[in-house]
């Protein structure tokens, strides 16, 4: 089997009631750590993980801030099998539904495929590269930390350049 490199975005803004930790930040960080561990148990090898970034909700209102991270992983899974594995981990951790029709809500864990090698695909269940990522600082900042020189296969720009452009727009 051939090995593939994928970049994932992970986020959490609800504390898992089963996790005992000192602070809310620690509990949310633990959700991301637990998700990465569960992926490892399913044959998805963590190669690199960004720092954890505290961010505001994007696309909906909530009093609960997020912890976001990006991860570089290696897998033998196809893109669709990787998506299925991510959904299994989300369900195992207590996420009951994925966002549909861009209706976002609070969640214990959210794991998205940003890139899978240099694959470009658009299916009803999966779009790679992840759509709208160039508009989301909570995705680009962690990703730029671990893969600043990765070139977006559609936009033909490095991740660091996409983040810089986004940061310039917000000034």
């Amino acid at each position: 089997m051939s090995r593939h490199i994928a970049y994932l975005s992970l986020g959490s803004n609800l504390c898992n009631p089963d996790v005992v930790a000192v602070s809310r930040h620690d509990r949310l960080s633990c959700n991301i750590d637990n998700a990465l561990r569960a992926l490892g148990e399913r044959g998805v090898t963590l190669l690199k993980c960004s720092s954890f970034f505290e961010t505001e909700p994007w696309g909906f209102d909530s009093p609960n801030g997020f912890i976001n991270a990006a991860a570089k992983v290696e897998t033998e899974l196809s893109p669709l099998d990787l998506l299925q594995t991510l959904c299994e981990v989300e369900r195992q951790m207590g996420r009951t539904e994925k966002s549909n029709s861009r209706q976002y809500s609070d969640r214990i864990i959210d794991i998205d495929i940003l890139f899978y090698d240099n694959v470009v695909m658009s299916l009803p269940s999966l779009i790679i590269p992840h759509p709208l990522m160039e508009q989301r600082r909570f995705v680009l900042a962690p990703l730029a930390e671990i893969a600043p020189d990765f070139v977006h296969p559609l936009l033909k720009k490095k991740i660091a350049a996409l983040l810089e452009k986004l940061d310039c727009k917000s000034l």
Side-chain angles (χ1 to χ4, degrees):
M1 298 279 303
S2 57
R3 305 289 290 173
H4 303 277
I5 299 296
Y7 289 92
L8 308 177
S9 176
L10 300 98
S12 175
N13 81 327
L14 288 181
C15 297
N16 184 331
D18 298 331
V19 174
V20 177
V22 175
S23 71
R24 182 174 189 280
H25 179 278
D26 289 344
R27 289 193 302 273
L28 295 179
S29 299
C30 191
N31 289 344
I32 292 173
D33 289 336
N34 288 341
L36 292 170
R37 192 174 307 106
L39 288 171
E41 293 167 358
R42 290 167 170 79
V44 179
T45 304
L46 177 64
L47 300 177
K48 197 177 227 185
C49 186
S50 72
S51 303
F52 293 163
F53 289 71
E54 293 188 36
T55 64
E56 294 299 315
W58 188 93
F60 71 104
D61 292 323
S62 173
N64 304 310
F66 275 84
I67 297 292
N68 290 98
K72 178 180 181 180
V73 299
E74 185 177 52
T75 184
E76 291 181 355
L77 298 172
S78 70
L80 288 173
D81 289 339
L82 178 58
L83 176 64
Q84 180 179 338
T85 299
L86 301 182
C87 290
E88 287 171 9
V89 169
E90 288 177 336
R91 281 191 301 277
Q92 172 192 329
M93 292 183 63
R95 182 153 187 200
T96 56
E97 59 187 52
K98 278 298 247 185
S99 302
N100 293 316
S101 303
R102 301 199 187 183
Q103 295 296 317
Y104 303 112
S105 62
D106 294 321
R107 46 210 175 264
I108 288 176
I109 193 69
D110 182 37
I111 315 168
D112 293 318
I113 301 170
L114 301 175
F115 299 110
Y116 182 97
D117 293 332
N118 281 310
V119 168
V120 174
M121 65 186 304
S122 183
L123 302 172
S125 60
L126 179 61
I127 300 172
I128 300 175
H130 194 282
L132 304 178
M133 64 182 291
E134 69 277 6
Q135 299 174 22
R136 299 173 175 178
R137 189 174 202 295
F138 70 88
V139 172
L140 290 178
L143 186 58
E145 186 179 293
I146 63 170
D149 296 326
F150 186 87
V151 176
H152 190 295
L154 290 176
L155 302 176
K156 307 297 185 205
K157 294 185 190 275
K158 292 181 180 182
I159 298 305
L162 292 173
L163 178 59
E164 185 178 320
K165 180 179 178 186
L166 183 62
D167 284 347
C168 287
K169 283 183 179 178
S170 64
L171 294 177

